[in-house]
Amino acid sequence: MKFNSNLILFVVLLACISTYAQKKITGTVIDKQTNLPMAGVNIVSSNSKTGTISGFDGKFQLELPDNVASIELSYIGYQNKKVAIDGSTNYNVYMSSGQDLKEVVVIGYGTVSKRDLSSSVSSIKTKDLPQGTSSSFENSLQGQTAGVNISSSSATPGSAVSVNIRGVSSISASSQPLYIIDGVPMVSRNNSALNANIQPVNPLADLNPSDIESFSVLKDAAAAAIYGSRGANGVILITTKRGKTGASSIDVNYYTAISEITNYPKMVDSNKFKSFFNTAAEFDGLGSDYFDWIDTSKGINTNIYDEIFRLGIAQNLDLNLKGGSEKTNYYLSGNYFNQDGIQIGQGFKRLSGRLNVDHTINDKFKVGSTVFVTRSNHQRTIGENDEYGVVINAQGWDPTEPIYDDKGKYTNPFKYNTWWPLENPVQVANEYKNTSQSTRFQGSTYLEWKIIPDLKFKTALSLDYSNLVESSYVPSGTNKSKTGEGIYATYEETNWLMENTLNYTKKFGDKHDFGAILGWTLQGNEALFSDQSGVGYATNTTASISAASTITSSTSGKSQYGLQSFFGRVNYVYNDKYIASFTVRADGSSRFGENNQYGYFPSGSVAWRVNKEDFFKIETISDFKIRASYGLTGNQEISSNWRGTYSLNASYNGVPGIAPGSLGNPDLGWESTKQLDIGLDFGLFKNRLTFTADYFDKQTDDLLLQSKVSGLTGFNSVFQNVGAIQNKGFEFAINAAVIDGEQFKWNTGVNLTMLDNKVKKLNNDGEEIGRNHILKEGEAVSTLYLIKFLGVDPQTGDAKFDDVNKDGIIDFSDRQIVGGAIPTYYGGWTNNLSYKRFTLTANFLFSGGNKIFNQSRHVYDNYGFTKSGIPYSNISERVYDNYWRTPGQITDVPRPSTKAGQMQRFSTQYLEDGDYIRLKTLSLSYKFPSKIINTVGLNNLSLYIQAQNLFTITDYLGFDPEVSTNTSSQQDLNSMQGEDFGTLGQARTFTIGLSTTF
C-alpha cells in the first residue's frame, strides 16, 4: 500500500513538472500574396509530435514543451515555413507559394506531386502571371513555357489565337490542343460560317480568364495518352477557382485599358506621290510631267491611318464571392468585358457568370457542381484579309483625295487617281456589317464515393452547349454590291460527357507508393447549322434575309458523332527515387469507317531521382531527375462527313431524291502520333535554381488526306490514311530566384524551344496549296512556293527574277520553294522583381527562323506600276527613299516604272524574315499596407499599371511579324501559315487597374 501511495505521488509530481515545462502560443497564418487568412495549414513543432491545424480564420493555438525552438508550417502548393519560437506568445506567419517538389500538379484524371512526375508536364499558376488585358486567356500564356507556340493572328478583338504544342502535327485535321476545363472538354473549333477572308471568332474568348486558377500543359505522349484519340496535339488542363474553408471574402478587380496601333508602314504625302509617278514616267520615256494631271493644288493630304485607326478602349470588371465551411465550399463570380478595337468598326463584349460548389455529405460521399454561362458579341469587318479589306484599301488610298466629299458622303476611290482601292476603307469599316453573337452554357456535376480509405469512385456528367448566330451585310450602292448582299447563319452545338473512374492510392511501408485509375467514358456531340444568303435590298436599314429580293442560297444540316472510351493508368514510386507510369486508352469513334472504329493508345514513362541515391553526396544539388517516355496518341478532330454521306436535296424533274454526297472509306481510321521524350530536371540550392531539358521526337502517321480515285466511282477523290509528319526538337527552361532577400526579390526564367518540322510522306508529293504554298516531302508543313527575286541590276535598276524553266517569261511556272513559315525556335524570358510593397514584372517573347510573305507590300511597294493608265496605288516612304536612281547604286528597290516588269506579286520581292523579340508585358503594382486598408474594412488593396507590346525588335516591314492571313480553317492554320495581306497588327496597350478583397 505504501508503494502504491509513493507511485501515485510520483506521477502527480511528474505531471506538475510537465505542465510547468510547457508553453502556449497562438497565431494567425496569412497568404503573403493575398493577405488573406489560410485555413487547414499543418503546424507542427520541430522536435516533438505536437501539432495542430489552422482554423477558418487562419488562427491556431498550440501547447509546446519548453525546449521547442521552432515550429514548421506546411500547405500544398506553398513553401514550407519555419518559425523560431523567440519567447513571444502570438505569431503572424506569412506563407508564400513557390517551387516545391511536393507541389501538386494537375494531370489527366488526377494529380501527382511534382517530384513524382515522369512525363513532360508544365504547371502555371495564374497568380504568377501578369494581369491579362485580352479577351481570352491564351495571350497570357505566351512565352511562359517551353514547347508551346502561341500566336495572335490579328489585333481584331475576340479573334482566334493559334496554339501549337511541339509543332504542327496534321494537314487536314486540327493541330490545336485539347482544352479540358474542370474535367469538361471544351469545344474550341471555329464554327463561324463567315470565314471567307476574315479573322474568325475565338470560342475560347467565351471563358473569363479571371476564373482560372491554374494551367497544366501535357506535352508528351505519356502525359496526354490518357486522352487517347484527342491527345495528339497536346492537352491544356484548366482548373478554375473554387471556394476554400474559411471566412467569406469578396474580390473585386477592375481595369481600363487604352490601345493603339504599334507599327505601320508609312505612306508618302501628296507631293511625293505625284513626284514618284512622274519619275516612273520619265524613266519610261514618257516625260517628267506625264502625271501632272494629278491635282495637288487643293492642299489635300489625307493621312489614311488617322482615318481607320483610333484609340481602342477596354473595360473589365470582375466580382467574385468565395468561402466555405467544414461541409460546403463555394465560388461565385461575374465578369463584364467591353473592348473597342484599334480599327474602327471592330469590337467585342462579354458578360459571364460562374458558380462552383463542393459539398461533403459525410466521410464517404462528396458532391459538387460547376455552372458557367456567357454571352459574347463580336463586331468584325468584312474582308479583313482580302481586296475589300479595310487595311489593304487604306494602304492603296490616293493621298490627294479626301475620305468624304463636300456633302459629307463617302468618296468613291474609282473616281480618283489610284486603281487599287476597290472601296472607301472608312465606308467598309462603318457600313459593311459583320456581327456574331455567341451564347454558351457549361455545366457539370460529380459524386465521389470513398469506398475504403484508399479507394475512391467518381462519376461525373457534364454538358457544353454553344450557340452562334451571325449576320453579314454589304450595303447596296457600294462598289462591292450595287444591290446589297446579306448572309444569316446559325450554329448550335451540344456536347455531353459521362465519366466514371475508380482511383486507388496506397503507400506500402516506407518505400512503396502505388496508384491506379480505371475509367469508362461516353461522349456525344450534335451540331445543327443553317446558312442563308440573299441579294437585292430596297433599303440599307435592315440586313434581314427576308428583305432580300432573291434568296441565292439556303442550307441547313445536322452532324453528330459519339465516342466511347476505356482507360487505365498505373503509377509506382519506389523509395522516392524510381518512378514509373503506364497508361492505356481505347477509343471508339463513330467518325471512322466500320472496319477501323477503335483505336488503342498506350504509353509509358520512367524516371530516376539520382540525387536520392546513397552514393550521391552533393548537398547543393536538391533535384536531379532523368526522365524517359514513349507513347501513342490520336487525332479525331475532323468533321463527320469524312465518312460516306448522302445529300437529301438531289431532286430530279421536280421529284425529291437522295444521292451520294461523298465517297465513303470503311477502312478510314485515326491519325496516330508516336512520341519519344527524354528529359532532365535539375535543381540547385533547395531549388532556387532549376533547369529542365527535353528532347522530343514526334511523328504523326496515317494522315487523313484526299487521294484520287477513278471517275467511274462518281467522285474524283476519297479520304484515306496516307502521309506522315515529323516534329522533333529540344526544349530548355531555367528558373532562378536570383535575389531572395527580406525586402528585395528577383525571380527570373528563360525558356527556349528548337523545332524541326518536316513532311515525311505524301500521297500527292508536290501538291500546290493555294497560290503561295506547297506540300513537299522533306519540307515543313507550311512551305512557301514563290517566284525568286534575284535583286536589282546596279547598272539598269531593273528587277531580276529566276526564270526556272528558261522560257523567257516570268510566271507561276517559275515558282520554287523559298522557305518555311513555321518558326524553328521560340521562347520567352520572364522577370518578377519585388521591393517591399512594389512588384515589377517584365516578360519578353522571341521567335524566328520562319519566313513571311508580306503580300500587302504588293500594294504599297508597287515601284510605279500603273493599271488602265492610272497609278496602281500609293507607295511607302521606304520605296521613295530607296529606289534606284543612278547606275552603280546598290539597292533592293528597282527603278520606278509604269510597266509591270519591275514587280511580281507572288515573288520573294515581298518575302521577309519573321524573327522578332517583343516586350510583351511590363507591369508595376503596389500593395497598400494592412494597417491602412483594414481601417476601411479591406483585407487587400493593390493598384497596378501595365503596358503590353511596348516595343518589338524586328526587321519585318509590315504591321507585325506575328500576324497571319490564313486562319479560317484547320487546313489553313496547318499548311498556309506565313501570309500577311492587309492583316491588322498587334496593339500597344496601356492599363491601369485595381484589385481589392473585403
Side-chain angles (χ1 to χ4, degrees), residues 12 19 23 37 78 98 138 147 206 239 387 499 519 532 663 852 868 887 966:
V12 171
T19 303
K23 53 189 174 183
Y78 285 73
E138 302 102 303
D206 290 338
T239 303
E387 283 82 355
E499 294 184 322
Q532 303 172 74
L663 191 62
I852 302 174
S868 303
N966 300 305

Side-chain angles (χ1 to χ4, degrees), residues 444-458:
S444 66
T445 184
Y446 73 87
L447 169 67
E448 187 176 278
W449 174 26
K450 185 184 291 185
I451 303 172
I452 57 177
D454 302 316
L455 182 65
K456 291 181 181 179
F457 171 76
K458 183 177 181 180

Side-chain angles (χ1 to χ4, degrees), residues 16 44 56 105 137 233 421 641 766 783 889 964 966 997:
C16 293
V44 296
F56 299 148
V105 176
F137 63 84
N233 305 316
N641 61 7
T783 290
Q889 181 181 349
S964 181
N966 300 305
T997 302

